[in-house]
Amino acid sequence: MGILMFRKIIAFSLCTLLSVQIAVAFDYLQPLPDEPIAPKDNPVTPEKADLGKRLFFDQRLSWNGDVSCNTCHQLAAGGDDGGAVTQLPGREIKRSAPSVWNVAYMSTYFWDARATSLESQVMEHLVDPNIMAMRHNTNVVKRLQAIPGYRELFKTAFGNDAITIDNIAQAIATFQRTLIVPDSRFDQFIKGNEAALNAKEKRGLQLFNDKGCLSCHFGTNFAGPAPGPALKMGDGFYELFPNYRGSLYEDKFDFVADLGRYHVTLNPEHKLMWRVPSLRNITDTAPYFHNGSVYDLHQAVRIMSEVQFNYPITDEEVDDIVAFLKTLTGKYPEITMPRLPDTPGVSLLP
Amino acid sequence: MGILMFRKIIAFSLCTLLSVQIAVAFDYLQPLPDEPIAPKDNPVTPEKADLGKRLFFDQRLSWNGDVSCNTCHQLAAGGDDGGAVTQLPGREIKRSAPSVWNVAYMSTYFWDARATSLESQVMEHLVDPNIMAMRHNTNVVKRLQAIPGYRELFKTAFGNDAITIDNIAQAIATFQRTLIVPDSRFDQFIKGNEAALNAKEKRGLQLFNDKGCLSCHFGTNFAGPAPGPALKMGDGFYELFPNYRGSLYEDKFDFVADLGRYHVTLNPEHKLMWRVPSLRNITDTAPYFHNGSVYDLHQAVRIMSEVQFNYPITDEEVDDIVAFLKTLTGKYPEITMPRLPDTPGVSLLP
């Protein structure tokens, strides 16, 4: 059944060839690696991570100064904002904020997969009129250049005090590469500790495989391929949702009002194509789906079974899969709040 | 001149008798005490402070889950949000967020002085439809009762797992009593280190006294009396602004559109009465005034001289006073971000 479903899924996918290649190149189940891969031109350094952390918490990176990265991607919680669709004053966000934890193991960013590197998603967030709303890279650079402390921090991190949009993106991406939540019970299990999962959780894992969930939710983050040799940089990875149309859930949860990747490419074949969301720490990222319309993980699992596979699922099976998914929550690292460089006696905001 | 101005100010104040009493009971200039006074029924404990810190960062304390205390009172920065007037979706805030740092040394909360204890201001913030928007204490209690981890934390902090609005307010107030920024150069100076201020800064302090600024900006926070025996709990402390009407600044910065305390009491004598804002860490809390309309500290000082005292001030005098005010910025403590208790696989938000 797993194979049948897998083939059905990839038949609907634009990434058919890619997916087959991945099936060969990747183990379906992987523990979290010790460190994510960083691009050759942006190796992780403590200085860049420190600068990136300050930028991550700095509301001055938004036009009105009303939000920082941490507003919607909260490091005190699941790396999201816990709501369906983020409401920001004067802006219109249509999709639910995904988690920033373990984001270094994604190959594809935004629900519509419009960015394929951490660095480029930073830049997109900054200028997007509905997110940080800086509208143009120049505005970002000017804002930071006016804060004396940042010039020193960029010098320490990059060797000169030229504050550029590339350096800003590299610093924030570097900090994001440190946001790893290791040592979930699943990781302990897959590394060989059989006792890390109980019988119910193991049944859930078996069902997760047998039902076909793994055909999309595979790899480090259960979200498809991680950046690396198996996925050519820039290719992206996305799948169709809902796979079967006309379910009772479709109207109830308004699943097809937003056409996903189609809005980026205007390619009709990209209608309802979405990035595959990570399942790591999934217990801490409710509500679920691109529009955050489903508030309970049990219901999310049932919906996936019915709209992706058109296949009934029993309450007990749902319960077992949820028990397994709960083992994907790891140990969050302690984060010390940064101090943001000041502009004594002056505000830079409009 | 100082005395004359002082008498003029208190002649406009509803707190005349109180102010005179304070002038006797308080030293005008005080270093930051080691610890703030806490109410007898809410002594500071590490357990309450830990719980309060989590609540301070928890967006689930707002109705839509879109803001926490830290959204507008950022501990990574000056304890405010750096903007003129906070914009929150679906709400209308008319005043600039004041700093939460050293707030334990204020006797009066909100710009309109409508709360006179840290505990009661917490409760006001939670239910205010334009701030946390929980609308009723019951909603706050219900929200937290649904988060299993909080029951345990309340038990540890208060001895039983009854989550009540009083305990919630006491915990957050306790955390706020730990948000102290000590050891400014002014504190070093007033404790006896003459060399902590340079000649320009000392001239600024002398001018600050001579011009009459101290008549309102006295005490621990340069904001009037701190809680304690000199100010009866519940009395509040507020002053008139603008003191002289019809200045060129009044229209330019829209100073009299908001009538301040009058909106709370509907007492015509409370028109344009305001809490005296703290001057500690003033370099990090631009923009200034109740409506955040003034973006530069130099301009704020000039305006205060002209609209409170109707008295010209030279550029050099402004510069000296600003130099003195910059010595009021202390050493911010390091804050470790809390982990917020989760509701695995479920979202509590509407």
Side-chain angles (χ1 to χ4, degrees):
Chain A
M1 182 61 63
I3 299 300
L4 186 69
M5 290 299 121
F6 177 52
R7 285 173 56 208
K8 190 165 268 173
I9 284 288
I10 61 172
F12 278 86
S13 165
L14 286 176
C15 313
T16 308
L17 285 174
L18 184 65
S19 296
V20 169
Q21 186 191 339
I22 287 156
V24 177
F26 275 78
D27 289 326
Y28 271 76
L29 296 173
Q30 294 175 357
L32 211 61
D34 290 337
E35 280 185 5
I37 295 171
K40 279 194 183 128
D41 66 348
N42 189 25
V44 173
T45 67
E47 293 77 14
K48 269 190 279 184
D50 171 76
L51 169 58
K53 178 157 90 168
R54 293 180 211 243
L55 296 170
F56 189 88
F57 279 92
D58 201 329
Q59 297 196 180
R60 290 170 295 186
L61 278 175
S62 60
W63 182 251
N64 289 321
D66 52 4
V67 294
S68 70
C69 308
N70 190 63
T71 302
C72 303
H73 302 284
Q74 295 167 51
L75 299 183
D80 65 345
D81 65 357
V85 174
T86 306
Q87 306 290 320
L88 296 182
R91 281 158 279 187
E92 194 183 0
I93 293 183
K94 291 182 174 171
R95 296 167 189 159
S96 192
S99 176
V100 74
W101 291 111
N102 295 323
V103 77
Y105 298 113
M106 301 299 285
S107 60
T108 311
Y109 300 94
F110 297 100
W111 277 100
D112 53 25
R114 70 181 182 272
T116 54
S117 77
L118 271 177
E119 284 77 3
S120 66
Q121 62 79 26
V122 168
M123 294 196 218
E124 290 251 356
H125 276 86
L126 289 172
V127 297
D128 189 320
N130 287 313
I131 308 179
M132 306 299 272
M134 296 298 281
R135 290 176 188 275
H136 197 286
N137 291 342
T138 315
N139 296 327
V140 185
V141 171
K142 272 190 192 160
R143 181 72 62 86
L144 292 187
Q145 278 175 337
I147 303 169
Y150 272 127
R151 288 201 288 271
E152 204 52 48
L153 289 160
F154 275 84
K155 195 170 182 177
T156 307
F158 292 101
N160 63 65
D161 62 358
I163 298 179
T164 65
I165 194 68
D166 288 315
N167 287 354
I168 294 164
Q170 287 200 342
I172 297 176
T174 298
F175 174 59
Q176 291 177 326
R177 289 194 175 93
T178 72
L179 298 175
I180 307 299
V181 185
D183 202 26
S184 69
R185 288 198 290 115
F186 166 77
D187 289 314
Q188 297 167 17
F189 173 79
I190 202 72
K191 283 177 176 172
N193 177 6
E194 280 273 343
L197 303 195
N198 64 29
K200 184 182 180 66
E201 291 156 354
K202 285 176 187 162
R203 277 202 312 275
L205 170 55
Q206 189 64 51
L207 283 164
F208 189 82
N209 178 61
D210 294 351
K211 294 270 178 189
C213 315
L214 264 173
S215 55
C216 294
H217 290 288
F218 62 91
T220 306
N221 271 354
F222 296 80
L231 184 74
K232 214 166 77 222
M233 252 336 189
D235 273 353
F237 180 70
Y238 37 87
E239 298 282 354
L240 184 69
F241 173 86
N243 193 18
Y244 284 90
R245 294 293 308 276
S247 75
L248 63 94
Y249 298 114
E250 196 172 297
D251 284 344
K252 184 172 178 190
F253 296 107
D254 207 21
F255 282 145
V256 300
D258 183 340
L259 295 175
R261 185 158 175 76
Y262 169 74
H263 295 296
V264 180
T265 64
L266 298 181
N267 178 346
E269 294 182 328
H270 286 174
K271 283 184 182 173
L272 302 177
M273 286 287 176
W274 300 97
R275 175 175 94 155
V276 176
S278 170
L279 300 184
R280 284 197 177 265
N281 311 308
I282 187 83
T283 53
D284 293 344
T285 62
Y288 303 106
F289 295 100
H290 61 271
N291 58 3
S293 57
V294 177
Y295 274 58
D296 185 280
L297 188 52
H298 286 79
Q299 189 161 31
V301 168
R302 174 173 298 284
I303 288 169
M304 284 304 283
S305 178
E306 301 196 7
V307 309
Q308 292 304 83
F309 301 116
N310 193 22
Y311 205 75
I313 187 167
T314 68
D315 287 348
E316 201 184 331
E317 286 173 327
V318 169
D319 213 46
D320 287 350
I321 291 176
V322 168
F324 163 65
L325 292 175
K326 287 187 175 181
T327 72
L328 299 181
T329 299
K331 299 192 172 73
Y332 292 94
E334 193 169 90
I335 305 258
T336 306
M337 291 203 82
R339 283 305 308 163
L340 306 184
D342 57 7
T343 53
V346 179
S347 171
L348 300 178
L349 300 177
Chain B
M1 182 60 66
I3 297 300
L4 186 71
M5 289 300 121
F6 177 51
R7 283 172 58 207
K8 191 165 268 173
I9 285 288
I10 61 172
F12 278 85
S13 165
L14 286 176
C15 314
T16 306
L17 285 173
L18 184 64
S19 295
V20 170
Q21 187 192 340
I22 286 156
V24 177
F26 274 79
D27 289 327
Y28 271 77
L29 297 173
Q30 294 176 356
L32 212 61
D34 291 337
E35 280 185 6
I37 296 170
K40 279 194 183 127
D41 66 347
N42 190 25
V44 173
T45 66
E47 294 77 14
K48 270 189 279 184
D50 171 76
L51 169 58
K53 178 157 88 168
R54 294 180 210 243
L55 296 170
F56 189 88
F57 280 92
D58 200 328
Q59 298 196 179
R60 291 170 295 185
L61 277 176
S62 61
W63 181 251
N64 289 321
D66 51 5
V67 294
S68 70
C69 308
N70 190 62
T71 303
C72 304
H73 302 285
Q74 295 167 50
L75 299 183
D80 65 345
D81 64 359
V85 174
T86 306
Q87 305 291 319
L88 296 181
R91 279 158 281 186
E92 193 184 359
I93 292 183
K94 292 183 174 169
R95 296 170 188 156
S96 192
S99 175
V100 75
W101 291 110
N102 295 323
V103 77
Y105 298 112
M106 301 298 285
S107 60
T108 311
Y109 300 95
F110 297 101
W111 277 100
D112 54 23
R114 69 181 183 272
T116 53
S117 78
L118 271 175
E119 285 76 3
S120 66
Q121 63 77 26
V122 168
M123 295 196 217
E124 290 251 356
H125 276 86
L126 289 170
V127 297
D128 189 321
N130 286 315
I131 308 179
M132 307 299 272
M134 297 299 281
R135 290 176 186 276
H136 196 285
N137 291 342
T138 316
N139 296 327
V140 185
V141 171
K142 271 190 192 160
R143 182 73 61 84
L144 292 188
Q145 278 175 337
I147 303 168
Y150 273 127
R151 288 199 288 271
E152 203 54 48
L153 288 160
F154 274 85
K155 196 170 180 176
T156 307
F158 293 100
N160 64 65
D161 63 357
I163 298 178
T164 65
I165 194 68
D166 288 316
N167 287 353
I168 293 164
Q170 288 200 342
I172 296 176
T174 298
F175 175 59
Q176 291 177 325
R177 290 195 175 93
T178 71
L179 298 176
I180 307 299
V181 185
D183 203 26
S184 69
R185 288 197 292 114
F186 166 77
D187 289 315
Q188 295 167 18
F189 174 78
I190 201 72
K191 283 176 176 174
N193 177 5
E194 279 272 341
L197 303 195
N198 64 30
K200 185 181 179 66
E201 291 156 354
K202 284 176 188 164
R203 277 201 312 273
L205 171 55
Q206 189 64 50
L207 283 163
F208 189 81
N209 178 60
D210 294 350
K211 294 272 181 190
C213 315
L214 264 173
S215 55
C216 293
H217 289 289
F218 63 92
T220 307
N221 271 353
F222 296 80
L231 184 74
K232 215 167 76 222
M233 252 334 189
D235 273 352
F237 180 70
Y238 36 87
E239 297 284 353
L240 184 69
F241 173 87
N243 191 17
Y244 284 89
R245 293 295 307 278
S247 75
L248 63 93
Y249 299 114
E250 196 171 297
D251 283 345
K252 184 172 179 190
F253 296 107
D254 207 21
F255 281 146
V256 300
D258 183 339
L259 296 175
R261 185 158 176 75
Y262 170 74
H263 295 297
V264 180
T265 65
L266 298 182
N267 177 346
E269 295 183 326
H270 286 174
K271 282 184 182 172
L272 302 176
M273 286 286 176
W274 300 97
R275 175 175 95 157
V276 176
S278 170
L279 300 184
R280 284 196 177 266
N281 311 307
I282 187 82
T283 53
D284 293 345
T285 61
Y288 303 106
F289 294 99
H290 60 272
N291 58 4
S293 57
V294 177
Y295 274 57
D296 184 280
L297 188 52
H298 285 79
Q299 190 160 33
V301 168
R302 175 172 298 284
I303 289 169
M304 284 304 282
S305 178
E306 300 196 8
V307 311
Q308 293 303 82
F309 301 115
N310 193 22
Y311 205 77
I313 188 166
T314 68
D315 287 349
E316 201 185 332
E317 285 173 327
V318 169
D319 213 46
D320 287 349
I321 291 176
V322 168
F324 163 65
L325 293 175
K326 287 186 175 179
T327 72
L328 300 182
T329 299
K331 298 193 171 73
Y332 292 94
E334 193 169 89
I335 304 259
T336 307
M337 291 203 80
R339 286 302 310 161
L340 306 184
D342 58 5
T343 52
V346 179
S347 170
L348 300 178
L349 300 177

